[in-house]
Amino acid sequence: MIIRQIHVTPVAFRDPPLLNAAGVHEPWALRTIVEVVTDEGLTGLGETYGDLGHLGKVRECAQALIGLDVHATNTMYARISAIVGHTVTDLHGLTGAATKEKSIDRVFSPFEVACLDIRGKAAGVPVTDLLGGRIRDAVPYSAYLFYKWAGHPDGEPDRFGAALDESSVVEQAALLINEYGFESIKLKGGVFPPDQEIAAIRALHEAFPETPLRLDPNATWTVETSIRVGQELEGTLQYLEDPTPGISGMAEVAAAVPMPLATNMCVVTHEHLPPAIASRAIGVLLLDHHYWGGLVRSAHVATLCDTFGLALSMHSNSHLGISLAAMTHLAAATPNLTFACDTHTPWQDGQDVVAPGALRFVNGAVPVPAGPGLGVELDRDALAVMNEQYEKCGISARDDTSYMQRFEPTFSARRPRW
């Protein structure tokens, strides 16, 4: 099955004003859709980031993969590595340090996913079977809560409403749980002083006493603040995610707080694993196939984590249905991924590039799509609309900080902040 064509299409979709440590989401989220077409007429799908620098590398690498067999992923990786070189293409700041290896992996990932999609279609089996077979039929996801404005300052209020205090955060959780059936909750912190976010977690615990809770301040706290918050929230958090910057800081906090620490910031590539494991800095790694090098490489990382007793969850960035399908196949085939995964899907509010029907939430979990490969197909009309939105939206790279500074000129994304 020889690759004859690769189509790379940037897209944009509406995004609410979700607050975080770097600032606030802009009105449009960017993604890139990759279609790999073989000489036998099979097409595979991949999805990745949409920032212009990354998009340029994806387009450049696509040309270098024409003529390869879809099974030749080692050769694909080598060619992409030679092209990407030392380019750093991850600059928005919420997924940890940018490294050469991470930049290569994040360009390689959508091509690998698309090739697995093709291989599954050719064999008539789902991608889970190519990853060792499913060990769960549906993958649990968590309600991903954000502090947010009622709407973008230059637009109308959105249906989710404002969430700037404890009561509105609880209301947001109730909305997402009622609509999707989520059975765990994660709050994106690092927005307000720690005591205000402690109060929000306590309010969520009171409102949903049997529901596991997580808090992610994106490394905005010092070691001392992290220890204080962790100790004050004893008995309320399933895990505390990235409270402070760096492996050494996380290790110091981990030794002093009662709950496990999780990360998608201080351990984001293979070179970070040995020091994190040796220092016991984390108890939970949030996998993300978009920057760990695709599904197979992520599965290898999962096996290594199991060897050293690290639990797994899954990180999410603003994404569409191709990514949700890939995430679901990976999680369904990963025995030690036992924590519910993160997802931004509710914030898409129905926008997608995949045809409806293959992906749905049942009691907060996504059943593994039934068809071969990823089990999803492109909605070409939706793809065309989102591509036109990309061309017209005026955004070429995610920049939460600059967007926030338009409305709050003194805002700084420095870390740690408290």
Side-chain angles (χ1 to χ4, degrees), residues 16-19 146-151 158 160-164 172 347:
L18 306 179
L19 297 165
F146 284 80
Y147 291 106
K148 67 179 293 292
W149 298 332
D158 59 55
F160 299 102
L164 298 171
Q172 185 185 103
W347 301 111

Side-chain angles (χ1 to χ4, degrees), residues 79-376:
R79 290 189 182 182
I80 290 170
S81 179
I83 292 170
V84 173
H86 288 82
T87 302
V88 172
T89 60
D90 180 20
L91 300 174
H92 73 74
L94 295 181
T95 55
T99 69
K100 167 192 165 185
E101 291 75 15
K102 186 180 175 187
S103 294
I104 294 167
D105 284 347
R106 71 202 301 268
V107 173
F108 172 73
S109 175
F111 299 113
E112 185 251 19
V113 171
C115 288
L116 287 171
D117 189 19
I118 290 168
R119 290 162 59 183
K121 289 173 179 176
V125 300
V127 165
T128 47
D129 284 10
L130 305 180
L131 301 174
R134 73 180 68 181
I135 50 84
R136 53 183 69 89
D137 293 326
V139 173
Y141 288 86
S142 60
Y144 202 164
L145 309 185
F146 284 80
Y147 291 106
K148 67 179 293 292
W149 298 332
H152 287 281
D154 297 333
E156 298 294 323
D158 59 55
R159 77 176 185 91
F160 299 102
L164 298 171
D165 58 21
E166 298 91 273
S167 62
S168 54
V169 166
V170 170
E171 289 174 5
Q172 185 185 103
L175 174 67
L176 297 186
I177 289 171
N178 288 338
E179 291 190 6
Y180 291 86
F182 294 120
E183 296 180 352
S184 61
I185 295 171
K186 172 176 172 173
L187 174 63
K188 176 67 80 176
V191 175
F192 295 114
D195 287 339
Q196 186 171 340
E197 296 182 356
I198 289 172
I201 290 294
R202 287 176 172 161
L204 287 166
H205 183 61
E206 182 177 353
F208 308 98
E210 303 303 319
T211 303
L213 302 177
R214 309 153 185 188
L215 174 60
D216 174 18
N218 278 124
T220 55
W221 302 339
T222 64
V223 167
E224 293 74 20
T225 298
S226 301
I227 290 171
R228 178 178 71 83
V229 174
Q231 291 176 347
E232 288 196 32
L233 289 176
E234 182 173 6
T236 63
L237 288 182
Q238 187 179 47
Y239 59 68
L240 177 59
E241 182 180 338
D242 285 308
T244 200
I247 290 172
S248 61
M250 289 280 283
E252 193 173 346
V253 176
V257 298
M259 70 285 292
L261 298 190
T263 190
N264 73 278
M265 293 185 69
C266 73
V267 181
V268 295
T269 191
H270 299 78
E271 66 189 86
H272 298 149
L273 284 163
I277 291 168
S279 63
R280 301 182 184 275
I282 62 170
V284 183
L285 177 67
L286 275 70
L287 274 178
D288 188 327
H289 75 274
H290 300 92
Y291 61 75
W292 279 98
L295 303 183
V296 172
R297 286 173 176 263
S298 294
H300 293 167
V301 171
T303 300
L304 180 63
C305 288
D306 195 37
T307 300
F308 289 95
L310 295 181
L312 294 174
S313 182
M314 190 175 287
H315 170 254
S316 166
N317 208 325
S318 299
H319 64 82
L320 295 166
I322 298 169
S323 283
L324 181 62
M327 293 161 65
T328 299
H329 281 277
L330 175 61
T334 305
N336 56 321
L337 204 160
T338 54
F339 287 103
C341 302
D342 296 345
T343 181
H344 283 64
T345 294
W347 301 111
Q348 295 166 212
D349 208 20
Q351 304 169 95
D352 217 331
V353 293
V354 300
L359 296 169
R360 67 189 192 281
F361 284 80
V362 179
N363 296 325
V366 176
V368 178
L374 290 176
V376 297

